[in-house]
Amino acid sequence: MRIIAKQSILTTFSSYLGVLIGYFNVLWLLPYVLDPNQLGLFRTVQDMALILVPFAQLGLGNGITRFYPKIRDHQFSFFTMSLLLSLVGAFLVAILFWLFKHYLILAFAANSPEVIDFFGVVLVLMLFSVLNSILDAFSRSFLEIAVPTFFREVFLRILVSIIVLLYFLNWIQFEKLIWSLALIYLATLLGMMIYMIRLGIFKINFDFKIFPRGFINEFLQYSLITLLGTTGSLLIMKIDSLMVASMLGLDANAIYSIGFAIAIVIEMPRRAVSQVVMPVVAEYFAKNEIDKIDRLYKQVAVHQLLICLLLFLGIWANINNLYHFIPNKEVYETGKWVVFWIGLGKIIDILFSINGEIIVYSRYYVFNITATMVMSIMVIVLNLWLIPIYGIEGAAIASFLAMGSYNIIKYYYVKIRLNLDPFTWDVLKIIVLGIFVFVAQYYSLVWMDAGFWDLIVRSALITILYIGGVYGFKIAEKSQNELIQKIKGLRP
């Protein structure tokens, strides 16, 4: 758990530094420089590329994490094979993309025809993202998470700021701004390669005969099955944005994207923990240490909910303050309830801990196919039903319902098959504390107007009440005691 904690802290630091830069980009720079139609196009091109990535990756990311402990002695042949397979996957997806191009044109022609001109950017972004995901998965097998997270969360967003500023200064045209997205993803890929080369974990070896008999088939079979089983979460994350752009237009997607970007920060600690936990869970399953998985399941549930619920409270309580500073706020503040529903969906996902990771690395990983098929159909049907009725809020509600259903199904499956449960009394205490803190701050500060001072005072009150409640309810008491002992040890 010490390695997990160290890497999680470093990863979380990079994630939140990235959040600060991302918030500057999404909540101020992009709305200030781009009009809503341009901003919607900027986001739609990226979302379309990212939704193709897991299909092009062929599920190899999870396969690398699961099989690395078994193939550690031949790791660079394994790495080379994975890179080659990802290139094959990207090529196949590109062919399918162009074969079905006519249907994509029909989907966007009515409300977002501008997207059609940048299908080439979508494919280039997809290729670089796929290769980067393989490097990231291989680094994760070495428990090297922090620096890859820095490239993904910080470096990439800094480059986004730069290209948008270049457009603002009239040094590049809008078309070149969109194409520049491909260059910054390439720069991130090259940065990862240089980092891995310096660590000595980027080496090409084409000797594939050294693998045990049947290993390649087993690896591919597992990867393809988990591909089908892990696309559900991505569909929930990205399909709503594309359907908003297709059904309502790029302006609506710009409003939706800003609301989504505000809410997504809630799950940053969950992402950091997941990146570090995945190889650990795979290792525990390889050694059949189910008791350690159960303990990790419960620890992660408490600690990530503890942090993420505080973030949700801070964001939703300050929602008027956050939109107060956005340029053209009268346009974008119509997306406030997108923040609430997406944020609540993320809390549901966080509440159920690492159930997805446990299924993926257990012998029951095939179940993910069933769960994903159900969720994929559900999220598309819900969006088709709710978007025409409620607009962008309908897309957010659809994501919330799909995320909740997806996690409940996975929870009961893990409970029945492995007799593992993430819930303890600490989880209930955190939920009760969160409700109390929100009600207390709302009625205490109802007289304040939106702005800088309301943001500061409200955030301070929430933090004080929440931390005080954590100690008062003795939530995660063991971790509290360990922290106190470490602080005492720092005293002269």
Side-chain angles (χ1 to χ4, degrees):
M1 193 66 186
R2 185 173 299 174
I3 295 175
I4 295 175
K6 180 180 178 181
Q7 284 291 318
S8 294
I9 290 170
L10 293 173
T11 303
T12 301
F13 175 77
S14 291
S15 296
Y16 279 101
L17 179 57
V19 165
L20 291 176
I21 300 169
Y23 261 34
F24 170 74
N25 288 345
V26 174
L27 301 186
W28 193 84
L29 183 61
L30 288 171
Y32 182 79
V33 174
L34 306 178
D35 63 44
N37 191 71
Q38 291 176 321
L39 177 53
L41 178 59
F42 191 81
R43 298 292 300 183
T44 301
V45 168
Q46 293 179 76
D47 287 343
M48 187 179 293
L50 294 177
I51 206 170
L52 297 176
V53 169
F55 298 99
Q57 192 201 63
L58 303 176
L60 296 174
N62 288 321
I64 291 169
T65 304
R66 180 184 174 92
F67 286 90
Y68 178 80
K70 301 179 181 180
I71 206 74
R72 189 178 278 111
D73 294 337
H74 312 301
Q75 56 191 13
F76 296 114
S77 294
F78 184 42
F79 173 58
T80 305
M81 180 184 70
S82 299
L83 280 176
L84 292 176
L85 288 172
S86 68
L87 288 172
V88 172
F91 179 71
L92 292 175
V93 167
I95 291 176
L96 290 173
F97 186 91
W98 285 108
L99 287 176
F100 290 94
K101 180 180 177 182
H102 175 70
Y103 297 99
L104 292 171
I105 291 173
L106 291 178
F108 288 97
N111 296 308
S112 307
E114 298 90 339
V115 176
I116 299 168
D117 297 329
F118 295 100
F119 282 170
V121 182
V122 169
L123 293 180
V124 176
L125 286 179
M126 178 267 294
L127 173 62
F128 293 151
S129 297
V130 167
L131 293 175
N132 211 358
S133 70
I134 298 299
L135 301 189
D136 192 84
F138 203 69
S139 297
R140 188 166 62 238
S141 298
F142 287 88
L143 294 182
E144 295 291 341
I145 311 298
V147 173
T149 301
F150 173 82
F151 278 113
R152 186 175 61 251
E153 303 291 346
V154 178
F155 184 65
L156 183 65
R157 288 178 171 136
I158 290 174
L159 293 181
V160 168
S161 303
I162 291 172
I163 64 172
V164 173
L165 287 172
L166 290 177
Y167 171 73
F168 175 68
L169 296 171
N170 292 319
W171 289 8
I172 58 174
Q173 297 175 341
F174 182 72
E175 181 180 355
K176 290 183 178 178
L177 170 65
I178 301 297
W179 275 99
S180 296
L181 285 169
L183 292 178
I184 66 176
Y185 275 82
L186 174 61
T188 304
L189 175 63
L190 294 175
M192 274 295 296
M193 290 175 63
I194 294 170
Y195 166 69
M196 292 178 68
I197 290 170
R198 294 192 63 178
L199 280 184
I201 59 174
F202 187 105
K203 296 180 182 179
I204 302 300
N205 188 340
F206 292 98
D207 185 8
F208 303 145
K209 296 180 180 180
I210 61 176
F211 294 134
R213 184 179 179 85
F215 169 79
I216 295 178
N217 288 337
E218 185 183 3
F219 171 63
L220 282 174
Q221 180 182 6
Y222 173 84
S223 297
L224 290 172
I225 289 174
T226 55
L227 159 66
L228 298 174
T230 55
T231 51
S233 296
L234 184 77
L235 283 172
I236 293 171
M237 288 273 291
K238 298 297 182 184
I239 196 68
D240 49 359
S241 172
L242 296 180
M243 293 183 74
V244 166
S246 174
M247 298 172 70
L248 301 177
L250 294 174
D251 290 15
N253 194 33
I255 298 168
Y256 184 85
S257 296
I258 286 182
F260 191 94
I262 294 173
I264 202 70
V265 69
I266 294 164
E267 73 164 358
M268 288 298 179
R270 193 251 188 275
R271 288 187 186 182
V273 170
S274 178
Q275 291 292 308
V276 183
V277 160
M278 282 193 287
V280 177
V281 172
E283 190 79 30
Y284 286 163
F285 270 119
K287 297 178 180 178
N288 198 32
E289 295 176 330
I290 304 300
D291 58 325
K292 291 186 178 180
I293 296 173
D294 185 52
R295 185 162 58 250
L296 188 64
Y297 198 17
K298 290 176 168 60
Q299 288 176 337
V300 170
V302 171
H303 289 87
Q304 69 181 16
L305 180 62
L306 193 63
I307 298 171
C308 296
L309 185 59
L310 176 60
L311 293 172
F312 177 68
L313 292 172
I315 287 173
W316 185 240
N318 283 293
I319 192 65
N320 291 326
N321 296 324
L322 292 174
Y323 275 99
H324 179 77
F325 298 104
I326 297 177
N328 303 314
K329 67 175 183 177
E330 63 280 355
V331 174
Y332 294 107
E333 65 183 357
T334 54
K336 287 179 183 178
W337 283 99
V338 170
V339 179
F340 175 79
W341 289 111
I342 295 297
L344 198 58
K346 297 304 176 186
I347 289 296
I348 295 294
D349 192 35
I350 289 156
L351 180 65
F352 284 94
S353 190
I354 54 172
N355 54 16
E357 289 85 346
I358 289 173
I359 294 173
V360 166
Y361 298 114
S362 74
R363 67 178 185 271
Y364 303 111
Y365 60 87
V366 177
F367 171 76
N368 270 335
I369 297 177
T370 303
T372 299
M373 287 179 64
V374 172
M375 287 308 101
S376 299
I377 294 171
M378 177 179 286
V379 72
I380 293 172
V381 170
L382 285 171
N383 272 290
L384 289 172
W385 173 40
L386 294 172
I387 289 176
I389 300 173
Y390 300 108
I392 59 174
E393 291 176 19
I397 294 171
S399 292
F400 165 73
L401 293 174
M403 187 66 72
S405 302
Y406 192 47
N407 275 284
I408 290 171
I409 291 172
K410 290 189 293 182
Y411 164 74
Y412 277 108
Y413 191 81
V414 171
K415 178 74 173 177
I416 293 168
R417 287 293 189 182
L418 296 169
N419 196 29
L420 303 178
D421 196 310
F423 299 125
T424 61
W425 283 110
D426 277 346
V427 170
L428 181 59
K429 290 178 184 178
I430 294 170
I431 294 172
V432 172
L433 173 62
I435 295 171
F436 167 77
V437 170
F438 183 81
V439 172
Q441 65 80 31
Y442 178 81
Y443 285 104
S444 298
L445 302 175
V446 70
W447 51 274
M448 293 193 74
D449 295 325
F452 177 77
W453 287 112
D454 184 48
L455 175 67
I456 297 299
V457 173
R458 197 173 297 273
S459 299
L461 179 61
I462 290 171
T463 304
I464 292 169
L465 290 175
Y466 195 82
I467 293 176
V470 169
Y471 282 96
F473 282 141
K474 297 182 178 179
I475 299 170
E477 190 173 12
K478 183 179 178 181
S479 297
Q480 288 186 34
N481 292 334
E482 289 176 355
L483 178 62
I484 291 170
Q485 292 302 319
K486 287 181 180 179
I487 292 173
K488 288 180 178 178
L490 294 175
R491 293 177 180 175

